[in-house]
Amino acid sequence: MAGGFIEKGSSEKNYPGKLTFRVFITCVTAAFGGLIFGYDLGISGGVTSMDPFLKKFFPDVYAKEHNIKPTDNQYCKFDSQVLTLFTSSLYLAALVASIFASKVTRAFGRRLTMISGGVLFLAGAALNGFAQQVWMLIVGRMLLGFGIGCANQSVPIYVSEVAPYKYRGALNMLFQLAITIGIFVANILNYLFAKMENGEGWRYSLGLAGVPAIMIIIGAMFLPESPNSLIERGQAEKAKEELIKIRGTDDVDEEFKDLVAASEASKQVKHPWSSLLKSEYRPHLTMAIAIPFFQQLTGMNVITFYAPVLFKTIGFGGTASLMSAMITGGCNALATLVSIFTVDKVGRRKLFLEGGAQMFICQLVIAAAIGSKFGTDGNPGVLPKWFALTVVVFICIYVAGFAWSWGPLGWLVPSEIFPLEVRSAAQSVNVSVNMIFTFAVAQVFTAMLCHMKFGLFIFFAFFVIVMSIFIYKFLPETKGVPIEEISLVWENHPYWNKFVKSSAQKNKTAAPDSQV
């Protein structure tokens, strides 16, 4: 087991400090960055199920849905590449932004990157709210994507650096909680605005994305810079003052010394992107790629993006589909609270594995339920209420499994395992991979649903098994390990030590030489 040797590493450092009100408010404010991501995840699927929106921008989809242009298969009525481009273009833009945000984050600090993300997101919300043509929607979505790329690159790093190591997991998960709250609020607004008689409700849904953008802009203006970032930019005195404030004690010398040492080591790395390819960073690079890759193949974002569309496809009415999406959004937010209260007690690995088992079972049940009623032609006739209730219940159980495992841990674990010298670059890789596969899944989902039908859930269930085996074999436990000491978990891991051990030994032998 990978978790058995971690306590040895964590006991070597026991920095004093407590969870102060200042650091709690700081982490909550930073987590507002998750609101913009969550709001967008929740709003896009609901808007694309609103008839006035479809009739104005995507008349072909509207015609198929209302049998003006009949389709032979219920599974295929939302299959439109232009419609999915509206949803997925954001994630392509976020990919590009996260790469550039890495340089801004390292050179100018985490706060500026957050503020930039909020400004870009606000501009995108305005353009979408006033859109008259499809190109305005796409450009607006791209601006939203640039904002999300900046926020997702900077916020998890910032929270991991500011939080005391004993509470790092819970505080970092505030970012994921903010995402789920954003999704839930978006679902509620979609449900309410869909009832507007003038058919302009979609404008309010899209335009109100500016509210969380303003929250992150104003919030970030009042945030302190993280001590790590200040040291990285040559402001050691200010960094120590800030460390004392956020730890609530003057006894920060040991932690400050380790932060300075980590910063000095990071300065030796002139090209963090190319350094990531070195063998000593093999485990970090692997996790930066594998965790976001697998996170998207849980199938959760399909549920989040297209919940109203999915429920509508399997026979729920328009308003009922939005209500069902609102219910699953509420389950998502509540279940994330479970992870916040348990992650620093039971650890990351157990939550990953339990959540994986829960999602796997639910996906098989959902596939069987939809397959039994819809078959391959997608025409079930009249659906009984017990069937609709069963589908919603198991989707909620599935969402809960994701919300206390792969959802928050997919952001927490990568943000805490990277050493300072490659942290910004590695986090950009993490966000980029996340956005690449979010884009890919969003772009092909309706086509996959059309061709794979209920087998789509079996497809995702297969990957849940693969990712659970990966976590069991390769991810060490990081619970209770100070972020400056995280290298110990790799040095003691039965597989990864063959890559990082030699690097640690080189550093030990190089130290005496540098003193001569």
Side-chain angles (χ1 to χ4, degrees), residues 463-479:
F463 277 101
V464 169
I465 289 291
V466 173
M467 65 185 72
S468 297
I469 293 171
F470 174 84
I471 292 296
Y472 181 79
K473 294 285 290 181
F474 296 112
L475 182 70
E477 182 56 71
T478 54
K479 177 188 72 172

Side-chain angles (χ1 to χ4, degrees), residues 226-246:
S226 73
N228 307 64
S229 179
L230 290 169
I231 293 171
E232 194 174 27
R233 290 181 286 140
Q235 302 177 46
E237 289 294 324
K238 189 175 179 181
K240 189 169 185 179
E241 291 174 9
E242 189 54 48
L243 190 61
I244 291 170
K245 290 178 183 177
I246 63 176

Side-chain angles (χ1 to χ4, degrees), residues 144-158:
L144 294 174
F146 291 139
I148 285 174
C150 291
N152 288 7
Q153 202 280 336
S154 55
V155 172
I157 288 179
Y158 179 86

